Amino acid sequence: MEELLSVIALVISVISGLFATYTFFWTARRDRQQATLEAYNQLQEQALDHLNYYMPAAIKEIAQNPRSEEYKKISSYVARIEHFCVGVNQKIYDKKTVYELAQDYLDGAIKDRIEPIIEKKNRHTNEDYYENIHKVYKWMAEQKAKEEGKGK
């Protein structure tokens, strides 16, 4: 009888341990998704919304004058986007959530607006100062290709 009780207690302990592990990982994933939403909303307010006021052609013109106030303002928006992309690449933020929020926007309309500034800043160096943005663009293109291959 004692052996049976020991076996039952062991089974209950294992089930409890598995449930606790599952709950931990589920909660961690959910928290990461929530943090991603909050960070993206902040990025939207601090940079993306502001960039939407500029047409890509206007930004190309602004990129010709790195000393102008507009250039500095747009550069700060690009820096915020880079900061967010560091979080994406370091897996601080949930990539699936980022993709759902930003596909065809961050790698489309926003890319068209910020690339002239990035090109200007990287022009005289062998280093890509906005490597994280470019990694996110590449990853998003790969995701899109996978989805199109599956017939989404």
Side-chain angles (χ1 to χ4, degrees):
M1 183 68 169
E2 278 185 36
E3 279 185 29
L4 179 61
L5 289 176
S6 294
V7 169
I8 291 171
L10 180 63
V11 168
I12 291 172
S13 294
V14 168
I15 291 171
S16 295
L18 292 173
F19 182 72
T21 301
Y22 170 80
T23 301
F24 172 78
F25 285 108
W26 183 85
T27 302
R29 183 161 190 255
R30 175 87 170 109
D31 289 348
R32 221 167 110 224
Q33 290 171 330
Q34 184 65 38
T36 304
L37 284 169
E38 290 170 6
Y40 188 80
N41 283 337
Q42 187 174 18
L43 177 68
Q44 186 75 44
E45 291 172 7
Q46 293 180 351
L48 304 179
D49 286 344
H50 298 285
L51 286 168
N52 284 326
Y53 290 111
Y54 296 94
M55 296 306 295
I59 293 179
K60 285 181 185 175
E61 206 47 50
I62 292 166
Q64 301 307 312
N65 186 4
R67 294 181 185 195
S68 73
E69 284 303 312
E70 291 295 308
Y71 182 92
K72 292 174 185 175
K73 188 186 300 185
I74 294 170
S75 292
S76 73
Y77 302 147
V78 175
R80 287 185 179 124
I81 295 167
E82 174 70 7
H83 182 261
F84 177 79
C85 289
V86 168
V88 173
N89 292 324
Q90 294 292 323
K91 299 180 181 170
I92 293 167
Y93 302 133
D94 181 65
K95 279 190 165 187
K96 183 178 178 185
T97 303
V98 170
Y99 187 76
E100 290 297 318
L101 288 168
Q103 69 176 347
D104 297 329
Y105 176 59
L106 188 60
D107 59 334
I110 295 299
K111 179 181 180 180
D112 292 344
R113 285 171 168 82
I114 66 174
E115 275 305 309
I117 301 294
I118 292 173
E119 288 171 10
K120 182 73 170 182
K121 288 181 174 284
N122 284 338
R123 181 168 290 156
H124 300 294
T125 182
N126 294 330
E127 194 172 341
D128 182 1
Y129 292 117
Y130 300 94
E131 176 183 8
N132 287 286
I133 292 173
H134 293 128
K135 284 181 180 178
V136 169
Y137 289 161
K138 181 180 177 193
W139 165 75
M140 289 181 115
E142 290 167 357
Q143 284 300 114
K144 184 181 253 181
K146 282 182 191 176
E147 286 184 1
E148 289 172 356
K150 289 181 183 177
K152 193 175 179 182

